[in-house]
Each structure stands twice: as C-alpha cells, then as structure tokens.
Amino acid sequence: MTAVHETHSISTVPTSSPRRRLRPRIALIGSKAAYVYVAPFFILFAVFGLYPLIYTGWVSLHDVSLLNINKMTWVGFKNYTSLWHNHFFLNALGNTITIGIISAVPQLLAALGIAHLLNYRMRGSLMFRIAMLMPYATSVVATTLIFSQLFARDTGFINWFLGLFGVSPINWNNGPKYLSQLAVSTMVMWRWTGYNALIYLAGMQAIPYELYEAAAIDGANRWQQFMKITIPSLRPTILFTVVVSTIGSMQLFAEPYLFSNNTNGGGSGQYQTLTLFLYQQGWQYNHLGYAAAVAWTMLAIIVVLVLINAGLTNLRARKG
C-alpha cells in the first residue's frame, strides 16, 4: 500500500508546472514587446521633433546668420526682449489674433449648425457629407487663386455684387486692414468649416437617442434639445476643435502669403501673420537666431492659449 501511495503521490505532481512557471516569463516578454512596438515612433519623434525643437531654442539664444550657421554669438535672451520692442512683430501678433478670431469663431459656429442639420435623417446625406470634405481636400494654392479672383478689385465677383447695392469697389488686397483680413479669413473658413462639421457630426451621432426621446416627451422643442443635450454632450469635441483652430490660426501662412505674393502681408502689413514674419526674418533677412526666438515665442503663446481654453471649458463644466 505504501508503494502504491508513493506511486500515486508521484503521479499527482502537476505535469503542467513548467508551463505555469513559463507564463510569467511570457507575460513579461509580452509587456516588453509593447515597448519595442512603439519605440520606432518615439525614436523618429526624438530625431525629427524633439531635437529640432531643442536646437531651435539653442539657436534663439545666439546671433546667427542663415548664411553662416556655424558662427554663433551668444546673446542670451536679447532676441526675445527685442521682439516686444519691434513694431512689425507686434503688428504681426495683432494680425494673427484678429484673423484667428474672425475666421475661427464663425467657422466653428457654422460647422456646429451644419452638423446639426446633417444629423437629421435626410435623403442624400452621404453626398452632403462628402461635399463637406471637398474644400479640405482641395489644394490651398487652388483655393487662394480662386478667392484672389473673387476678391479682385476691378473684375472680382465680390465687388460686382456689392456694386449692385451702391458700394464702391474695395481694394481687398491692399486696402483697409480689417477688410483685407476679412478676405483672408474667408479663405480659412471655406477650407475648414466642413472638416469641423464632420467632427461635430461624429460627436453628435454618439449621443444616445433616448435622451432626445425623453426630452421630447417632456415637451422640449428642437432648439431646447440642441442647447440642453447636444451642446453639453459635445463639450469635449468643441474643446478639441477650439484647440486645433487656435493652433492653426497661430500657424497661418499659405493663405496670406499667396494672397499678397510676398511675406509683407499686404502693402502695409495688413495681414502679415507671425509665420510670415518668422519666414521673412529667417529666410529673407537671414536673421536665423531672431526667427528662432519668434518660433519659441509662438510656441509659448499657443501653450498659454490652449491652457486658457481648457481652463474656461473646465470652469464652464463645473458650473453645469
């Protein structure tokens, strides 16, 4: 009996013990494999994103010419302090802010309204959604060329239409500051409204339909449902579009550059943005250190604006 018992004891030793010991090792290898999978992204980001950013910051602390970038003279924060005494920089900063407001606010409101309409069941909704993306898919060069023809002083459609109401021809390209900025903002709105509308539409379709049914039973009309259900539910999406639009406004370059055919942004800098000013300083005047200081100042302004947007949105969310 003892021999039988010993035999039975030996046979009951788990034959899968080696497998159990291997499981933690396999899990450990699996967890480390995840780092290997994501490593290429971070390596590329470090080479093409982080290093240029740090190097630009280093260049901004020097007086260096684009014609001889190996010869640097340490100036500390002189490039940064002189920016705030430069009339052209302050003008470009003001233009960037006003063009950003004129283009982003109507653009996002229009996108919200279009998305609300597309959210209803209607015939040909797919065709309308595709049409919304067409301006975004169109080349910015083609868009600016067409709008330049529309805003032409003597032969443009806009002045012809305004002339029907007795308005004298407007020089949109080199005329009054805010009218020129309105022309540039129109190009930006045309290109990005449909894109933002589709983002809002995706957010609206994630809202449970039962909420609207319950509101309808309680007697809420369409407008009340939009204000009380749709807008609060879309708050994270709205914050995202506001942040992206803010960053895009600070980096606006192609439209004003192609509209004026130079980096001056109009005859008297009516719509010279910060990126045009940066390009002018670095690649036309060869002041590479000064241009690098402009780039880092733009980054700081974007971070501050994004934090303000996030703070206001969170404050609004707490108040309900």
Side-chain angles (χ1 to χ4, degrees), residues 37-92:
Y37 294 145
V38 300
F41 167 77
F42 287 102
I43 293 173
L44 292 175
F45 173 75
V47 173
F48 297 105
L50 187 60
Y51 172 72
L53 185 67
I54 296 173
Y55 183 72
T56 303
W58 176 250
V59 171
S60 69
L61 301 175
H62 294 77
D63 182 14
V64 53
S65 170
L66 182 65
L67 302 177
N68 188 7
I69 59 175
N70 293 321
K71 183 181 179 181
M72 295 185 179
T73 304
W74 174 265
V75 295
F77 289 95
K78 181 182 177 182
N79 287 330
Y80 291 93
T81 55
S82 63
L83 275 179
W84 299 99
H85 300 285
N86 187 326
H87 167 73
F88 297 102
F89 170 78
L90 296 177
N91 176 64

Side-chain angles (χ1 to χ4, degrees), residues 22-38:
L22 283 175
R23 284 176 184 173
R25 296 180 182 177
I26 294 173
L28 181 62
I29 294 173
S31 62
K32 290 184 177 180
Y35 292 104
V36 176
Y37 294 145
V38 300

Side-chain angles (χ1 to χ4, degrees), residues 104-105 108 235-236 238-247 249-250 301-317:
V105 174
L108 295 180
R235 188 170 289 126
I238 293 173
L239 174 62
F240 170 76
T241 55
V242 169
V243 169
V244 171
S245 298
T246 302
I247 296 173
S249 300
M250 293 297 296
I301 293 173
I302 289 173
V303 171
V304 170
L305 291 177
V306 169
L307 291 176
I308 291 174
N309 283 330
L312 291 175
T313 304
N314 291 331
L315 182 63
R316 176 68 178 170

Side-chain angles (χ1 to χ4, degrees), residues 237-264:
T237 308
I238 293 173
L239 174 62
F240 170 76
T241 55
V242 169
V243 169
V244 171
S245 298
T246 302
I247 296 173
S249 300
M250 293 297 296
Q251 297 176 340
L252 188 63
F253 178 83
E255 287 87 352
Y257 178 75
L258 295 173
F259 191 52
S260 64
N261 289 323
N262 55 53
T263 58
N264 294 326

